[in-house]
Every structure is written in structure tokens, then in C-alpha cells.
Amino acid sequence: MEKKELVLEGLDCASCAAKIEDTVKNLDNVDGVELNFITKTLSIKVEDEEKIEEIKKIVKKIEPDVEVYEKNERKRKNKEEEGEEFNRKLEIIRLVSALGVFITALFVKEPFWLQLTLYIVAYLISGGKVLLRSFKNIIRGNVFDENFLMSVATIGAFSIGEFPEAVGVMVFFEIGELLQDMAVDNSKKSIKALLDIRPDYANLLKEGKEIRVSPEEVKKGDLIIVKPGERVPLDGIVIKGNSMVDTSALTGESVPRSIKENDEVMSGFINLNGLITVKVEKEYSESTISKILDMVENAAAKKAKTEKLITKFAKYYTPVVVFLAIALATLPPLITGAPFNEWLYRALIFLVISCPCGLVVSIPLGYFAGVGALSKQGVLVKGGNYLERLKDLDTVIFDKTGTLTEGVFEVVEIKTFNDFKKGEILKIAAYAEEHSNHPIAESIKKKFEKVINKNIIEDYEEISGHGIRAKIGGKEILVGNRKLMNKFKIKTPEINFSGTIVFVAIDGKFAGYIGISDKIKPGVKDVIKNLKDLGVKKTVMLTGDSEKVAQSVAKEIGIDEYYAELLPGDKVNFFEKFSEGVSTAFVGDGINDAPVLTRADVGIAMGGLGSDAAIEAADVVIMDDDISKLSDSMKISRKILKITWQNITIVLGVKILFLILGALGKTDMWGAVFADVGITIIAVFNTLRILRVKKK
């Protein structure tokens, strides 16, 4: 199935959005349906284009005024953005006019026909759109939404002679809707500003000339020029020049990074001072910036349990309240003989209060804003569901190399046996590791420093989890861990070394070992302590390194448990052992740990900058190598969830209170407007505090 994203331009009804999502989910051969009301984007997986047309018809049936187009249709999107400001101005003019006529009507006492005419004019100017939408929805069988509730409530108020309240409720309802839309749009703009890292152009070098083109037009292997102040448009290698680059948009780092020839640069970096020439390594669709933007933009589609619960609640809540309002209007007069107009008025108040907008708007907005706030700090979360899981973790399992330790290895000791020389075993090890890009292999080759003649390497074989067997210069070579030596019955002595040991055997004889050290990352000990303070019950380290190295690292940083000398497949088995029945996160480098990352409740990739595997496999990607952002992210996610539940409590509490007061006749239409529109605006502005959440 092919994934598609449809933009629903003009969708401003949260309950209609829920109906669209439910209807599309029931279609055959359609999967992965997620509609985000905040971004007005419908994500789907379909087998053919015919389904897209069917979905467009469904949207048109439920919301005829909504325009549907695919997200990649940029011209249509630009047209939408250009028209937003103009439409907003028209709305303001319409509502100011309605408010002016309404105020005039309040001061006109005689003649009655003039007063009534002014009220009707003000009502139609402010509520014409609401009435029309409600009428169209009723014809299509979509009855229970805010348009229907407001139409019934205000027409009912007119019918019992409550003209000022009927008009006032409609005017202030529409003003509230405008303010709510403006607040949501501002939050979206704030989030877009956080992620405004999409490059607009690339300076392509073609036949010695510099041509400004779209990044999508640049191919792998092309040369581009990046001038001071410009954003790097594509991933590549610097082949000329040096400069300082600002990486904050991707990593959250405030300190610029120095780059020179042969250094890698990522799309989204900002070139600060030097002119650099870059050889493009990835086309735009595969570049770091493209993957990050895609991940963040799609995060809104992965809804948290709280979001889904609120959507489901709103679906049943509105019809129930409508039937309660009908009962409130009819039963007391029938049973007690009380005046019908009085109980009808209470029922109309009941209807106005019942609109669930405060919940269905502010809750998705909260998760959307949370993803944006964390992305500003270089932490990419793939969806609200992972944001919710992040706050309450029972167990955190770590890979060692590159996660808890620097992953930058250095040869610190070479020990020989059986009359072999240091230079000989270093050379043999370097030749054996020639085809490997593992950090340990790189450290050995770096120590050797000489050019490797590949022609003398024969019968190369990499034995997973053990090491390398090869024939080099006619000699049988084994380079790897103790398991490899045992496999080929090579006797090795006990060695007291706290780092990584690479054993070397030549023609069946133990030749010696190379000792390699790897530093623990700064602040790791504090991170483990902070996780404990946040309520994490157990921390575990899994590594393919030796027992001695693992024990040393675990003891120094305060890890609860560790398991050493694991093969790649062993990590999955050990992870499943710890993850059963508890909320578990796995933290790894996103490349060799991909199988475990995908199995975790929350897979967290460290140092995802430029790593395709990290971005693909993980649920959360910490773009730089700052492990302290793990505990910081948990704190921020808790703050986000706290604000979200504040909104749920405030909105439901106020609505329930005013529903009771309305039923008892203790509040009027103005109180109802506050309980609907006012509380929605309060919830939305409370949500916007998420964008101001800072790392602690």
C-alpha cells in the first residue's frame, strides 16, 4: 500500500473531522487512517488512486466547503497560505459589523419592528454561516455538531422572545471561534518557525558556472556552493574551504561547529562565515533534513491514548447531551405542569454549554505543540503516543558503545607472545580489519597509519559476534575476541585489562593482543541518577564487549544490571526478557541496534544526526550525542502531559458545573457562552505554554 497525505483546507469543525476519520477507516483496502485536526491533514495507505477519489467524496459529503488536495501539490498549498490573511480580514469585518448592529439594536426600544429587524440582521450576519452549515449537515444525516447545537439554541431563544440573548450568543460564539482559530494558527506558526529549516535553494556548480536551483534538482555527486549565511541544502562532504556552522536547528546545540575539507555536513546546517564547496552524498528526498521534516510533520498523525479517548468521548457526548436537553425541555412541564418556556430556555442553555470544542481542539494541539517544543531542543519524537509513553518508564535498557561511552576508540596497549613483534601483530590486525568500518577496526587502522595493500588479503571471512578469519600474505590469521580464539582452539592467557581486547593469532599460534580503550561520556552518571529520581525502577546495560569491561563501566556509572559478550541476536532475547509486562525504553545508536529499537515501547536513538537507520528504527531520536537529553525529555513530556490533563480537568469541570447550573436555572445564556467559547479559548492559550517549556 502507498502512503498518501491529503490536506483538508477549510476544515474547522472538530466533530466533523472525527466523522471523516471514522468513515474513511471503514472503507475496504484502506489502512493507517489518521486525521489531525490541528494540521488539517489526513494520512492514509491505499492501493490505488480510485480510493483517493472516494475519500474526497466522503469529505465533501460531510464538509462540502472543505477543499481536498494532496500535500505535495505545492501551488495549491501556497494559494491556501496566501488566502488565509485575506479571509481572516473578511471574518473580522463580518463580525465587527454584526456586533455593531447588535449593539445598536440594544439601544433601540421603539418601534418594535425596527428593533426586531436589527436583531435579525445582526443574527444573520453573524450566524448565517452556522445556519447554512447546520442545514447542509442535517440533509446529509450529520446532525450532532456545534453548528446544530448553536442553531437550535439560538432559534429556540428567538421563538420564546429572548432576542438579545439569541443574537448575543451567536455573535460571541463566532467571535470565540475566530479567536480560537487565531490562537491555533499562531501555535502552528510557532511550531513551523521551530522547524523552518527547509532549504529554499542550492547553488549548483555546472560547467564552471554557479546556478541557483531547487534542492530537489540536485543529484548525488553534484557540487554545490554554500555561502556565508546560507543554509546547507543537502547532505555531503566538504571538498574545499572551511567554516563554522550553526547546527542548532537540528541538534539544539548553541555552540557553532568547525568544519574543514573532508568533513561531513548535513542539510539544515547554517554556514556562518566561510565559503565552502560540498560534494552531494544524498539526493534531497534522502537527506537528513527531508527525513527530519517528514518525521516531525507526520508525528501529529500518531495519536496518544488520551487523544483517542477524547475523540471517542466527544463522539458520544454530544448526542447524549442533546437528548438530555430534550428531556429537560419536555419532562418537567409534563410531570409538574411548570411553564414550558422556562424549561425550554434551560434546555437551550444546556445545548450551548454542551459543545465539546475545548477538548477536541486543545488536546491534539497540546501533543502537536509538545513535539514541536522538543524538536527545538534536538529531540525528535515520532508521535504523541511515544510522547505519552516517555513520561512513565519502568525500565531503561542501554547499549554501551556509542551510547554510554564515547564510541571513539584508541589503541593504548599492544602485548606480544610467542616471539611475535608488536609491529607485526598491529599490521596483521590492520590488514584483517581493512573491510570493517566498526570503531574498533578504525582505531587499529588509525594506529597502523600505513597504506594497506589489499592484494595480499585472501579468503576474508567475518564471523558474526566473534571476529575475522583471513589469509594474509599466505598466513592464516584470526583477529577477534576470546570466543574466536576458543572456536579455533587457540589457547589465550588471562589478561588484566579494563578496556576492549582484540586477540591476534597467526598460523594457529597466539601472537598477542591489542588493548583498546573507550571513554565514558561526560554526565552519564548524572543521567542514570536522574532517571532513578524520575521513577525509573531499573537500568540495564547490554554489550558485546567483555565481562571485565562491562563490569567496570556499570560500576562507574551506577547501572543496576549488565550483560556482556552478547551476540547481535542476544540483545533481542535479553531485551524481551526485561520488557515483559513493564514499560521499557531501549537507548542505542540506531544502526546495529535497530532490531531492539523497533521492539521497545520507546526506542531512543542516540546521535541520529545523519544516521538513516536511527531515524527509521527509533521512536525518539536525540540528534546530537547529548545523553542528558534523555532525562530532560522525560521531564518535558511530563510537563506536556500535565498541561494536557489540566485542560481536560478545567474544560470538563466547568462544563459539568454549568450544565448543572443551567438545568437548575441558575445561569443564563451568557454563562453558557463562557462555558463553551470562553473555556475553549482558555484551554487553547493554556496549551500554548508548552511552546515555552525549557530544558531543566
Side-chain angles (χ1 to χ4, degrees):
M1 284 188 171
E2 185 180 2
K3 185 177 180 180
K4 296 279 187 179
E5 287 186 300
L6 301 178
V7 176
L8 277 57
E9 181 183 335
L11 180 65
D12 55 8
C13 169
S15 59
C16 297
K19 289 175 186 174
I20 291 169
E21 185 178 62
D22 285 343
T23 307
V24 174
K25 278 181 178 178
N26 290 327
L27 293 176
D28 294 331
N29 300 320
V30 176
D31 198 10
V33 180
E34 293 286 357
L35 196 159
N36 186 270
F37 178 64
I38 303 302
T39 59
K40 298 177 177 22
T41 304
L42 176 64
S43 299
I44 48 172
K45 290 180 181 177
V46 293
E47 291 183 346
D48 53 60
E49 289 294 327
E50 290 181 7
K51 283 293 177 185
I52 298 293
E53 294 304 315
E54 188 177 350
I55 290 167
K56 288 181 179 180
K57 288 178 183 177
I58 289 171
V59 175
K60 284 290 183 183
K61 182 180 178 183
I62 297 173
E63 277 280 30
D65 297 329
V66 170
E67 190 175 359
V68 186
Y69 56 88
E70 289 192 39
K71 194 172 184 180
N72 57 9
E73 295 179 34
R74 286 191 174 184
K75 290 181 181 178
R76 301 288 294 279
K77 188 175 179 182
N78 291 340
K79 182 180 176 184
E80 174 199 358
E81 291 170 352
E82 289 168 6
E84 268 185 11
E85 190 174 344
F86 178 73
N87 291 336
R88 185 64 48 76
K89 288 178 180 177
L90 288 180
E91 281 294 291
I92 292 171
I93 292 170
R94 177 176 73 88
L95 294 177
V96 169
S97 301
L99 185 61
V101 177
F102 172 57
I103 292 171
T104 303
L106 291 174
F107 286 98
V108 174
K109 302 301 180 185
E110 297 290 342
F112 175 74
W113 66 266
L114 177 59
Q115 181 193 54
L116 181 59
T117 301
L118 289 172
Y119 279 131
I120 292 172
V121 169
Y123 181 75
L124 292 176
I125 293 173
S126 61
K129 289 170 66 176
V130 174
L131 294 172
L132 183 60
R133 283 198 296 262
S134 178
F135 178 71
K136 288 179 178 178
N137 287 341
I138 290 170
I139 290 175
R140 294 190 300 273
N142 300 316
V143 178
F144 300 113
D145 63 11
E146 60 265 35
N147 298 305
F148 171 78
L149 296 175
M150 293 307 300
S151 298
V152 171
T154 52
I155 291 171
F158 255 110
S159 70
I160 60 175
E162 298 288 349
F163 308 134
E165 294 196 10
V167 179
V169 165
M170 187 61 82
V171 169
F172 287 103
F173 171 76
E174 283 290 87
I175 291 174
E177 289 287 294
L178 177 64
L179 292 174
Q180 171 189 305
D181 288 343
M182 289 172 68
V184 171
D185 285 347
N186 284 337
S187 74
K188 287 166 65 178
K189 286 176 184 176
S190 299
I191 294 162
K192 284 179 180 178
L194 295 176
L195 302 173
D196 187 20
I197 52 179
R198 190 189 303 274
D200 298 321
Y201 62 87
N203 301 314
L204 177 65
L205 274 180
K206 199 167 186 179
E207 297 177 355
K209 294 182 180 180
E210 183 183 320
I211 309 168
R212 180 173 288 195
V213 298
S214 168
E216 287 91 338
E217 296 178 43
V218 181
K219 305 297 182 185
K220 182 179 179 180
D222 285 348
L223 300 182
I224 58 174
I225 298 287
V226 186
K227 300 173 184 177
E230 291 183 337
R231 197 177 295 276
V232 177
L234 299 111
D235 296 1
I237 303 292
V238 177
I239 63 169
K240 185 179 179 182
N242 56 76
S243 183
M244 299 294 291
V245 291
D246 177 1
T247 69
S248 60
L250 273 65
T251 66
E253 292 178 286
S254 58
V255 180
R257 184 184 300 182
S258 174
I259 57 162
K260 59 186 184 303
E261 287 184 20
N262 298 320
D263 282 349
E264 189 178 16
V265 290
M266 301 293 169
S267 48
F269 286 3
I270 297 175
N271 186 19
L272 296 178
N273 50 20
L275 183 72
I276 56 174
T277 304
V278 177
K279 183 180 180 181
V280 175
E281 293 290 306
K282 295 178 183 176
E283 294 187 6
Y284 181 75
S285 61
E286 296 299 317
S287 66
T288 302
I289 193 69
S290 179
K291 289 182 178 293
I292 291 170
L293 286 169
D294 182 64
M295 188 170 80
V296 175
E297 287 170 359
N298 291 331
K302 296 176 181 175
K303 296 179 182 177
K305 287 182 181 178
T306 309
E307 286 182 89
K308 292 179 179 177
L309 180 64
I310 291 300
T311 303
K312 193 171 184 179
F313 169 78
K315 180 180 177 182
Y316 298 104
Y317 163 80
T318 305
V320 167
V321 172
V322 169
F323 287 115
L324 286 175
I326 293 171
L328 189 64
T330 56
L331 293 180
L334 290 174
I335 295 170
T336 66
F340 177 72
N341 279 10
E342 178 188 339
W343 287 96
L344 175 60
Y345 181 67
R346 295 187 188 186
L348 297 176
I349 290 172
F350 210 76
L351 287 177
V352 174
I353 296 168
S354 68
C355 289
C357 296
L359 292 175
V360 294
V361 173
S362 66
I363 305 309
L365 179 62
Y367 286 97
F368 185 68
V371 170
L374 278 170
S375 70
K376 178 66 174 176
Q377 300 190 21
V379 180
L380 303 182
V381 184
K382 286 189 177 180
N385 51 341
Y386 304 118
L387 195 63
E388 197 166 67
R389 293 176 196 172
L390 193 60
K391 72 181 180 71
D392 290 320
L393 295 172
D394 293 301
T395 303
V396 179
I397 302 174
F398 296 89
D399 173 51
K400 181 183 77 69
T401 305
T403 302
L404 298 173
T405 61
E406 296 280 1
V408 179
F409 293 89
E410 182 182 4
V411 174
V412 295
E413 182 176 317
I414 301 175
K415 186 77 171 175
T416 62
F417 292 80
N418 297 322
D419 299 327
F420 288 97
K421 298 189 180 334
K422 290 185 179 181
E424 186 178 5
I425 69 168
L426 178 61
K427 177 181 177 180
I428 286 296
Y431 270 69
E433 300 283 9
E434 167 60 16
H435 298 298
S436 175
N437 59 3
H438 190 280
I440 291 176
E442 294 294 339
S443 69
I444 293 172
K445 287 184 282 186
K446 183 180 178 182
K447 182 71 173 177
F448 181 58
E449 291 182 334
K450 297 176 184 177
V451 176
I452 293 174
N453 180 9
K454 297 180 183 179
N455 295 327
I456 67 171
I457 303 174
E458 309 169 48
D459 298 332
Y460 176 90
E461 180 189 0
E462 185 171 342
I463 303 171
S464 179
H466 292 73
I468 293 162
R469 184 195 65 79
K471 194 170 185 179
I472 300 173
K475 296 179 179 180
E476 291 291 337
I477 304 299
L478 297 173
V479 175
N481 57 24
R482 194 182 294 274
K483 289 180 184 177
L484 181 69
M485 299 296 112
N486 293 338
K487 182 179 179 69
F488 287 90
K489 297 181 171 52
I490 305 293
K491 291 184 179 181
T492 55
E494 286 299 319
I495 297 166
N496 186 23
F497 182 77
S498 61
T500 300
I501 299 173
V502 176
F503 294 93
V504 179
I506 302 173
D507 286 334
K509 288 184 179 180
F510 178 58
Y513 70 86
I514 299 172
I516 299 169
S517 69
D518 181 18
K519 294 180 181 178
I520 294 172
K521 286 182 179 179
V524 167
K525 190 173 182 178
D526 292 335
V527 170
I528 301 300
K529 182 180 181 300
N530 289 339
L531 290 176
K532 291 288 187 181
D533 293 341
L534 287 168
V536 173
K537 296 173 184 174
K538 184 182 289 186
T539 54
V540 181
M541 181 180 73
L542 305 180
T543 181
D545 218 328
S546 68
E547 171 75 18
K548 190 171 287 186
V549 172
Q551 184 183 50
S552 174
V553 172
K555 185 177 180 181
E556 184 172 343
I557 65 177
I559 285 276
D560 293 326
E561 296 181 28
Y562 69 90
Y563 295 88
E565 299 181 11
L566 302 179
L567 298 174
D570 292 337
K571 285 188 179 181
V572 175
N573 297 332
F574 271 87
F575 173 80
E576 289 177 350
K577 169 187 172 183
F578 285 106
S579 62
E580 191 173 342
V582 296
S583 177
T584 309
F586 180 82
V587 189
D589 62 19
I591 299 172
N592 57 353
D593 295 315
V596 196
L597 284 168
T598 56
R599 282 171 166 78
D601 292 317
V602 185
I604 303 169
M606 293 292 300
L609 193 61
S611 169
D612 294 341
I615 293 174
E616 291 296 328
D619 307 313
V620 177
V621 182
I622 298 176
M623 294 304 292
D624 57 8
D625 245 355
D626 186 359
I627 195 169
S628 68
K629 288 182 179 177
L630 173 58
S631 51
D632 290 334
S633 296
M634 286 185 66
K635 292 175 187 176
I636 292 171
S637 72
R638 291 183 178 188
K639 180 70 173 177
I640 291 164
L641 270 295
K642 181 181 178 182
I643 291 173
T644 298
W645 279 102
Q646 280 177 359
N647 283 343
I648 293 172
T649 304
I650 291 168
V651 172
L652 284 181
V654 170
K655 282 192 177 291
I656 291 169
L657 173 63
F658 274 80
L659 284 171
I660 294 170
L661 293 175
L664 296 175
K666 300 297 183 181
T667 188
D668 57 13
M669 280 287 187
W670 303 113
V673 170
F674 168 75
D676 175 28
V677 178
I679 202 63
T680 298
I681 294 172
I682 289 171
V684 168
F685 278 100
N686 186 45
T687 298
L688 298 189
R689 293 194 298 125
I690 291 170
L691 291 171
R692 299 193 295 273
V693 169
K694 300 294 182 184
K695 180 174 73 172
K696 295 181 181 178

